[in-house]
Amino acid sequence: LFECEADRVVFTSNCTHGLNIAIHTLVKPGDRVVVSGFEHNAVTRPLHARGVTLRVGGRRLFDWDDTLEEFERALHQGADAAVFTHVSNVFGYILPVAQMAAMCRERGIPFIIDAAQSAGTIPISLKALGADFIAAPGHKGLLGPQGTGLLLCGGNPRPLLYGGTGSESIRQDMPDYTPDSAEAGTLNVPGIAGLAAGLRYLKRTGIEKIGKREQQQAHSCAAGLRKLGMRVFHGPHQAGTVSFVPGVDCESAAELLARQGIAVRAGLHCAPLAHESAGTLKTGTVRVSFGHDASNEQTKAFLQAASKLPPAKS
């Protein structure tokens, strides 16, 4: 699925775990690190903890030209590493990661891709992208249980945890090869078995087919929300996620939808940088996310429930 050799895959407890391993490996205190304007706290908090100089490249939603121009400008100012998301968890914006990866490769800058919102719905190739690391959760697009994740390793990860690996037990340092160097202690084997079942489903069904289904419903949802008078964040290069602002507090809107059997996420979605870029840091948004079983019926039911929300204030 990822054009990655089996022994270059590290099992993690979630995407955040994988990103921490990758950042711990590539980033030193005081380094200059470039990120996009749409990063999750799973990227920004570990970087802040490392005491880096952070440069943000690209803040306009659904605008590849701006993302690429600003990202290149930030790299040109000097960078020791780069970390960028494939898809914004808040707005569903699909970033031009192939071009961003090429910019890093041309300059010899190591980079990490956060595939939390894309793995399982958008094709990802470790080989083609040439990333040092790509982190993904098991429980989202890969359809596995919570508590699972994958770290695809183009480079060699430094240990984040130390302990038994079942290999080279005589050593008192960690093995220096993948996956053993980053897999200390007992793994979540039942969870990994569930993740394997999810991956088999993806192979049978097809990632492109699932992604297209989600995107179609997201576009229909965005159009319907606009008709209801909501402030909708929608544009080109959008995956199966739509954010909107109604005429009432976003948390209250989510509660009203929940009482009608509709599950959404409201607030800042662990991504204040993305909300700052979009101008929604004070209000937050209501986020609608479609899954592998996205359907016209789901969208219709959601819009019917959303019709009871007041429209956005002008």
Side-chain angles (χ1 to χ4, degrees):
L1 286 171
F2 305 110
E3 291 194 289
C4 177
E5 297 296 327
D7 62 0
R8 306 299 296 175
V9 179
V10 169
F11 287 111
T12 61
S13 57
N14 47 53
C15 188
T16 299
H17 180 195
L19 287 167
N20 272 263
I21 293 172
I23 290 169
H24 174 71
T25 299
L26 294 185
V27 178
K28 303 185 300 298
D31 274 357
R32 302 159 298 174
V33 181
V34 176
V35 300
S36 81
F38 304 98
E39 301 305 317
H40 190 278
N41 279 344
V43 167
T44 57
R45 282 179 172 174
L47 289 174
H48 280 292
R50 299 293 276 178
V52 306
T53 298
L54 208 61
R55 293 198 176 103
V56 180
R59 284 181 174 268
R60 293 182 186 171
L61 273 174
F62 312 117
D63 188 338
W64 275 19
D65 288 339
D66 175 73
T67 298
L68 292 172
E69 289 171 10
E70 293 301 315
F71 188 76
E72 185 172 32
R73 183 176 289 112
L75 293 177
H76 183 71
Q77 292 173 351
D80 299 296
V83 190
F84 45 92
T85 188
H86 194 172
V87 177
S88 165
N89 73 302
V90 181
F91 301 103
Y93 172 35
I94 304 170
L95 277 69
V97 293
Q99 296 92 319
M100 295 164 77
M103 289 178 186
C104 292
R105 293 197 308 270
E106 289 166 4
R107 293 165 173 79
I109 297 170
F111 65 98
I112 301 162
I113 296 176
D114 175 1
Q117 306 297 322
S118 59
T121 59
I122 300 174
I124 298 169
S125 168
L126 178 68
K127 181 179 179 181
L129 291 167
D132 290 80
F133 298 100
I134 299 176
H139 71 281
K140 295 184 181 179
L142 300 184
L143 307 179
Q146 291 182 329
T148 61
L150 300 174
L151 181 64
L152 314 179
C153 301
N156 292 317
R158 290 178 56 198
L160 185 64
L161 297 175
Y162 293 78
T165 59
S167 59
E168 299 195 41
S169 296
I170 194 67
R171 297 175 59 165
Q172 287 304 288
D173 56 347
M174 292 291 285
D176 55 3
Y177 50 84
T178 54
D180 302 46
S181 61
E183 289 184 349
T186 302
L187 297 176
N188 178 9
V189 177
I192 294 169
L195 176 56
L199 297 178
R200 285 192 290 269
Y201 174 86
L202 293 177
K203 289 190 72 175
R204 288 195 310 269
T205 308
I207 284 176
E208 293 89 344
K209 182 178 179 180
I210 292 171
K212 184 177 180 180
R213 182 186 302 161
E214 292 184 7
Q215 287 177 300
Q216 286 175 337
Q217 296 308 318
H219 291 316
S220 296
C221 176
L225 285 168
R226 278 207 180 98
K227 290 180 180 178
L228 295 175
M230 308 299 170
R231 182 188 176 197
V232 185
F233 296 87
H234 178 247
H237 316 298
Q238 187 164 9
T241 296
V242 179
S243 264
F244 71 98
V245 177
V248 67
D249 175 74
C250 288
E251 298 283 357
S252 299
E255 290 178 8
L256 188 149
L257 292 170
R259 289 197 293 270
Q260 299 177 76
I262 302 293
V264 296
R265 177 87 185 271
L268 296 183
H269 314 94
C270 301
L273 180 60
H275 282 282
E276 184 180 58
S277 295
T280 52
L281 189 60
K282 291 184 178 180
T283 63
T285 62
V286 178
R287 183 186 68 187
V288 186
S289 299
F290 291 92
H292 70 283
D293 59 348
S295 66
N296 292 331
E297 290 73 21
Q298 288 181 3
T299 303
K300 182 178 179 181
F302 166 73
L303 291 173
Q304 177 62 35
S307 68
K308 298 178 183 179
L309 297 173
K313 299 170 184 177
S314 58

